[in-house]
Amino acid sequence: LAPAFCGRGAQAAELLRILNGAEAPALVAISGAPGSGKSRLLAEALRRQRLLYAAGRGPALEVLEGDPRALLDAGEGGEKLDDAAVAILHELEQRGERRRQVVVLELDDPLAQRLACFALRGDVAGVLFVCEVTPASKELALLGEQGGSLALVEVPPLDHIAATQLLVSMLG
């Protein structure tokens, strides 16, 4: 059982607005210190979006997490990073014709970095890429240098009231 979701309502609402928006950015970077709740925030926003979809008030999304190479057929994409990225983007665009795609990237992977750069250049339609970064990370600096359609959702430390609520929920 996951602990209660505490102290991140504004950030969850911002992510939910992006997930449900017709004019979403190409890439969302969730920025916060290690252990600040970036993954939990994303999970909560996706949970809320699924509830909106079930109630007929949000779009259908296909969320892809893990290694993006799983989208490739065996042997497809070659050995070059750009070839693999282009093959993955092509597959995502085809899937996007049926249902909007949300792809969670781990930016310590060079292929994921390449996909993020392609997204920021505007090479992908109908796909929202989401990544988690720390404020001083080289990945965040790389994304900022690319320009393009980037939304930054910052996850500050919990205030003492929210931290207390979280601890109480964890202790039962």
Side-chain angles (χ1 to χ4, degrees), residues 6-8 11 31-38 135 154-163 166:
C6 301
R8 303 275 185 243
Q11 292 88 359
S31 174
S36 64
K38 298 179 297 289
E154 295 187 47
V155 182
L158 288 174
D159 62 34
H160 70 282
I161 294 171
L166 178 61

Side-chain angles (χ1 to χ4, degrees), residues 56-131:
R57 298 186 0 229
L61 301 179
E62 182 176 352
V63 180
L64 305 163
E65 298 182 76
D67 189 349
R69 291 168 187 82
L71 294 171
L72 299 175
D73 292 330
E76 187 180 353
E79 294 185 16
K80 292 185 179 179
L81 203 55
D82 282 349
D83 291 343
V86 167
I88 289 168
L89 294 175
H90 179 70
E91 175 63 24
L92 288 169
E93 285 179 337
Q94 287 183 330
R95 289 174 175 223
E97 292 172 5
R98 298 184 302 273
R99 180 178 285 198
R100 186 161 173 219
Q101 304 294 298
V102 176
V103 181
V104 180
L105 297 174
E106 297 289 336
L107 288 183
D108 55 352
D109 176 8
L111 178 59
Q113 292 174 10
R114 201 72 196 120
L115 289 169
C117 290
F118 277 124
L120 288 171
R121 285 191 343 212
D123 292 347
V124 189
V127 180
L128 173 64
F129 290 94
V130 179
C131 62

Side-chain angles (χ1 to χ4, degrees), residues 1 10 16 27 46 53 66-67 73 89:
L1 189 64
L16 197 57
L27 179 71
L46 290 170
Y53 171 70
D67 189 349
D73 292 330
L89 294 175

